[in-house]
Amino acid sequence: MTTRRSILKTAIGGLALAGGGLIGRLARADLPAGTIESGTLETLPGKQPLLKRSFRPPNFETPVAYFNDVITPNERFFVRWHLMNIPQVAAADWRLAVGGEGATQEFVLSFEQLRQEFEPVEVVAVCQCSGNRRGFSDPHVPGVEWGHGAMGNARWKGARLKDILARAGLRKESVEIAFNGADSPPLEATPDFVKSIPAWKALDENTLVAYEMNGAPLPHWNGFPARIVVPGWTATYWMKQVISIRALTQPLSSFWMNTAYRIPKGKFPLIDRFVSQESDTTTPITEMVVNSLITNLSDGQRVASGSAVVVKGLAWDGGYGIRRVEVSIDEGRTWERTELGTDLGRYSFRPWSFNFRPRGPGRVAVLARASNAQGSTQTDQLIFNGPGYHNNVIQKVVIDIA
Ligand SMILES: Nc1nc2c(c(=O)[nH]1)N[C@H]1C(S)=C(S)[C@@H](COP(=O)(O)O)O[C@H]1N2
Ligand SMILES: [Mo]
């Protein structure tokens, strides 16, 4: 177990971050200015300084300036856990149990077997918490007060879940595939974190049991030795330290499926459905909504007049593909297309950039808006929901031309 003593405190002022300015000034009615964009930087073992949202359980987000890289380095990747008992797992001791009533074979895999006995595949995919940007919800909602950084983009390598399920002899009656991790609640009263996905999503060739992240073993905090990767879907299904995979012929009944991570039906422009878990009014969250982030500018940043302003950022969605990203410098009256950068695949962050010449000194609000191949676009107004999920309100960064 990690103790408070093993955490190295890092002074906010001692940090040089690329891209100018860590502290944004986002005014919100019910939180002091700067609460969300600033926060305390602390260093978990094996990580670079991240913004601490809570310590027990550990919830740390990635500062925006780190997103100037399209791939989020492992040391800078955000950390989110629900439960407090997070064991240190040694690869040699780790076992993955595969079975369930929807499987005809039960078996156990060692780390070496997972690596050797299944074809290794790679996918670049965004892992984004359903509640990313919850801290900007107005009115305020309870939950971890995430800013923009409860997300990251990595090259994941692992075995296809469908290949593992093929060895288990998946029966056609299987409706869901359930995952459990090695972490556990400190009290019996808290339900264990167990999640399921529909069988069709588990059989998608991009859904992996990943054992490498950006060419290295997964960091402890991101699920060493192996985690589930569900490209396109929010990170709640990306089970870390996975120790059990079960094929279910009945929908999983658990707090984390029936109560948490649900959204109102019909409010978001989503396509993927999770029919076996739907109620009359709510559905489990599925794919990510189209979104973008300005990465090289922050609120209040000074830019010298007379020179061109470069705006850089990222865009992503649930895997349909980014069609365009536009920027407005006149409060949304007119929009201009940005230039899209390298395409690392439909589940990856897509970089974009834009240049403009400011008219003269003064404040300029820079707005960015991404649209995907399904014709979905970021929203002007928050689609309010109680848990604060799927915030893709068009971002506004106000810079100072001086
Ligand atoms: N075992 C386990 N896996 C988990 C969780 C957890 O609490 N325990 N949280 C999930 C949620 S809600 C998120 S947002 C992601 C966070 O992944 P990261 O910590 O690698 O950034 O892990 C997912 N997998
Ligand atoms: Mo999450």
Side-chain angles (χ1 to χ4, degrees):
M1 280 303 303
T2 306
T3 64
R4 193 163 264 279
R5 265 167 290 128
S6 69
I7 303 288
L8 312 169
K9 299 241 168 175
T10 307
I12 204 164
L15 248 186
L17 285 169
L22 176 65
I23 313 213
R25 273 180 265 137
L26 265 142
R28 269 210 13 199
D30 45 358
L31 287 177
T35 304
I36 303 302
E37 293 288 56
S38 60
T40 316
L41 283 164
E42 283 193 11
T43 312
L44 288 166
K47 289 280 183 180
Q48 288 182 16
L50 299 173
L51 293 164
K52 185 181 77 172
R53 296 296 171 216
S54 71
F55 182 72
R56 277 174 69 80
N59 286 305
F60 287 74
E61 78 174 85
T62 303
V64 167
Y66 288 167
F67 293 113
N68 285 302
D69 292 326
V70 179
I71 295 287
T72 317
N74 295 359
E75 304 73 35
R76 296 176 167 189
F77 211 92
F78 84 108
V79 174
R80 199 272 182 265
W81 292 86
H82 293 82
L83 311 174
M84 300 206 205
N85 294 338
I86 306 162
Q88 291 283 345
V89 181
D93 303 335
W94 176 82
R95 295 290 180 274
L96 175 60
V98 183
E101 70 270 15
T104 45
Q105 305 265 16
E106 301 222 324
F107 57 93
V108 173
L109 293 175
S110 69
F111 191 58
E112 275 316 296
Q113 284 177 299
L114 176 66
R115 294 178 66 101
Q116 308 286 320
E117 297 179 8
F118 300 89
E119 185 191 344
V121 290
E122 291 189 353
V123 64
V124 178
V126 174
C127 174
Q128 180 182 221
C129 182
S130 317
N132 193 21
R133 307 188 178 185
R134 176 185 291 122
F136 304 128
S137 179
D138 192 359
H140 170 77
V141 292
V144 182
E145 298 283 350
W146 297 117
H148 289 104
M151 62 172 194
N153 187 40
R155 183 179 294 277
W156 308 95
K157 181 179 176 182
R160 290 185 199 94
L161 179 56
K162 74 184 262 230
D163 293 348
I164 293 172
L165 293 172
R167 185 180 293 190
L170 195 63
R171 287 169 44 205
K172 64 176 188 317
E173 293 80 8
S174 300
V175 287
E176 297 176 9
I177 308 298
F179 313 115
N180 196 3
D183 51 336
S184 59
L187 303 166
E188 295 278 318
T190 313
D192 193 13
F193 189 72
V194 185
K195 296 290 295 191
S196 65
I197 56 174
W200 65 265
K201 187 65 178 172
L203 294 170
D204 186 301
E205 61 175 9
N206 295 300
T207 301
L208 307 183
V209 180
Y211 45 76
E212 268 184 32
M213 180 176 172
N214 296 326
L218 305 182
H220 163 69
W221 302 107
N222 303 105
F224 182 85
R227 81 179 302 171
I228 304 293
V229 165
V230 191
W233 283 31
T234 71
T236 182
Y237 303 105
W238 297 43
M239 185 64 68
K240 299 189 280 190
Q241 298 189 324
V242 60
I243 53 169
S244 129
I245 297 177
R246 290 187 309 127
L248 306 181
T249 56
Q250 296 295 320
L252 177 65
S253 177
S254 89
F255 170 81
W256 300 104
M257 295 304 298
N258 309 138
T259 307
Y261 288 104
R262 299 184 71 91
I263 51 172
K265 261 176 155 176
K267 267 200 167 184
F268 297 94
L270 301 172
I271 291 163
D272 285 352
R273 286 182 60 185
F274 195 158
V275 176
S276 55
Q277 293 280 349
E278 287 178 3
S279 75
D280 289 347
T281 53
T282 67
T283 169
I285 195 162
T286 56
E287 82 261 33
M288 293 178 279
V289 291
V290 65
N291 218 336
S292 67
L293 179 69
I294 296 168
T295 56
N296 73 322
L297 299 173
S298 55
D299 267 327
Q301 189 168 329
R302 275 162 180 261
V303 178
S305 64
S307 54
V309 178
V310 181
V311 188
K312 285 187 181 180
L314 302 170
W316 65 98
D317 77 333
Y320 303 104
I322 294 301
R323 179 165 288 169
R324 63 174 185 277
V325 179
E326 300 152 296
V327 162
S328 173
I329 50 169
D330 59 7
E331 297 285 344
R333 278 185 291 278
T334 61
W335 294 87
E336 280 190 74
R337 279 208 187 206
T338 69
E339 194 174 319
L340 296 182
T342 324
D343 186 353
L344 295 177
R346 62 199 178 104
Y347 297 111
S348 169
F349 282 151
R350 187 82 191 263
W352 52 267
S353 65
F354 181 79
N355 292 337
F356 72 94
R357 260 187 196 280
R359 289 250 174 89
R363 302 187 122 212
V364 177
V366 182
L367 280 64
R369 173 176 87 179
S371 305
N372 71 3
Q374 293 290 343
S376 290
T377 301
Q378 290 180 244
T379 56
D380 301 311
Q381 298 293 321
L382 181 71
I383 301 177
F384 181 81
N385 62 103
Y389 297 146
H390 279 331
N391 184 335
N392 68 342
V393 176
I394 294 167
Q395 187 197 1
K396 181 196 246 187
V397 174
V398 182
I399 58 171
D400 232 329
I401 312 291

